[in-house]
Amino acid sequence: MTVKFLAAACIALAAGSAGAADTKPVRFILVGDSTMATASGYGDAFCARVIRADTCLNLAKGGRSSGSFRAEGRWDEVLGLLKGSSAYRATYVLIQFGHNDQPGKPGRSTDLKTEFPVNMARYVDEVKALGGVPVLVTPLTRRSFKDGKLENTLQPWADVIRTTAATKQVALLDLNADSVAAVQAMGPDEADTLAVAPKPPAAPAPVPGSAATVEPQGAAKSAFDYTHVGAKGAAYFARMVEREIKTAIPALAVEFRPEEGQ
């Protein structure tokens, strides 16, 4: 009788512990550049889609690359958060770089072959080492068209991220591929409505490598451009990322608010 009682007690204790773990929230940490950052990217709109929005932290910062984000000590904040993860069932770290790793951005650019892959792999390894779940995100497309075709200048950086995700066997959100397809389908006029501000009359498309395509360090522009997004663009791409993460990690579907009409 005593043995049976002890066995039953152990089962009940284990069930209680499992139940307590299940009640812990999932946490999301967003790491990236201005296309994910507050006021210029989709990150805040993504966090607003999470049922418990206070467990979604948007740490993305405008003008940062895979190198400068770490060099400035911003990654240290993420590592600190991961060390204090006991209150969460799991912490998913979404990592998106590429825009500022491109050439022509002093202090931020990284070499596509020798630095960028190493940086991305290191982020993955360090998240794993602290018990987090790394999720790699390919860079959001710019919305520049030439002769009716969207110019995907970020594809080489997206390819590196795809390879890193496959090599490290971590979840991949192919935002670059999805956003390129969507923006190409909607065309330049509709794509322009996703920008931070309305397009001024006769605004010329930026020439690759020109000042118009080089994002300044620090705060994002407040005027129209082909990189950053306003409220409409943020909501559009946030839902795209949400759909991607639900596909890549189906168990996370319950962590988001129902779509309108459901």
Side-chain angles (χ1 to χ4, degrees):
M1 180 68 69
T2 302
V3 173
K4 289 183 178 180
F5 176 79
L6 289 174
C10 288
I11 293 171
L13 181 61
S17 298
D22 288 343
T23 63
K24 291 182 178 181
V26 165
R27 178 169 59 172
F28 297 93
I29 300 176
L30 276 55
V31 174
D33 54 38
S34 62
T35 61
M36 182 188 266
T38 298
S40 60
Y42 65 82
D44 285 3
F46 174 86
C47 285
R49 296 287 307 148
V50 177
I51 290 175
R52 297 181 65 164
D54 60 329
T55 66
C56 185
L57 306 176
N58 186 7
L59 301 184
K61 189 71 175 179
R64 274 57 182 186
S65 69
S66 68
S68 66
F69 192 90
R70 180 186 293 276
E72 292 178 5
R74 296 181 182 280
W75 182 244
D76 292 339
E77 181 179 357
V78 178
L79 298 180
L81 289 167
L82 286 171
K83 291 175 183 176
S85 293
S86 60
Y88 301 94
R89 189 163 77 252
T91 296
Y92 294 85
V93 184
L94 278 63
I95 307 166
Q96 177 201 291
F97 289 109
H99 279 260
N100 299 294
D101 289 88
Q102 292 183 302
K105 300 179 180 182
R108 296 174 283 166
S109 300
T110 62
D111 185 87
L112 180 61
K113 294 183 178 180
T114 63
E115 293 181 287
F116 188 60
V118 173
N119 290 347
M120 298 307 294
R122 186 180 174 190
Y123 282 128
V124 168
D125 290 342
E126 291 179 357
V127 171
K128 284 183 174 181
L130 290 175
V133 184
V135 180
L136 293 182
V137 187
T138 56
L140 179 68
T141 186
R142 294 190 177 94
R143 303 179 304 281
S144 301
F145 285 78
K146 183 177 181 180
D147 299 326
K149 182 175 176 59
L150 185 68
E151 296 183 291
N152 186 13
T153 58
L154 288 154
Q155 182 160 343
W157 287 263
D159 286 341
V160 168
I161 294 172
R162 294 179 187 115
T163 299
T164 304
T167 302
K168 294 291 184 179
Q169 298 184 327
V170 299
L172 173 73
L173 310 185
D174 204 344
L175 179 59
N176 184 259
D178 286 357
S179 61
V180 164
V183 172
Q184 177 65 58
M186 68 177 64
D189 290 341
E190 178 63 21
D192 287 348
T193 68
L194 305 180
V196 175
K199 183 177 181 179
V207 176
S210 69
T213 62
V214 177
E215 182 185 330
Q217 181 80 2
K221 300 174 184 178
S222 60
F224 174 89
D225 66 18
Y226 298 94
T227 299
H228 306 104
V229 295
K232 179 179 177 180
Y236 183 83
F237 292 118
R239 280 178 165 78
M240 182 175 285
V241 174
E242 177 187 343
R243 289 193 295 270
E244 290 171 345
I245 201 167
K246 287 177 179 177
T247 299
I249 311 174
L252 291 180
V254 297
E255 303 297 331
F256 295 89
R257 301 179 187 280
E259 293 283 354
E260 294 180 6
Q262 291 186 352

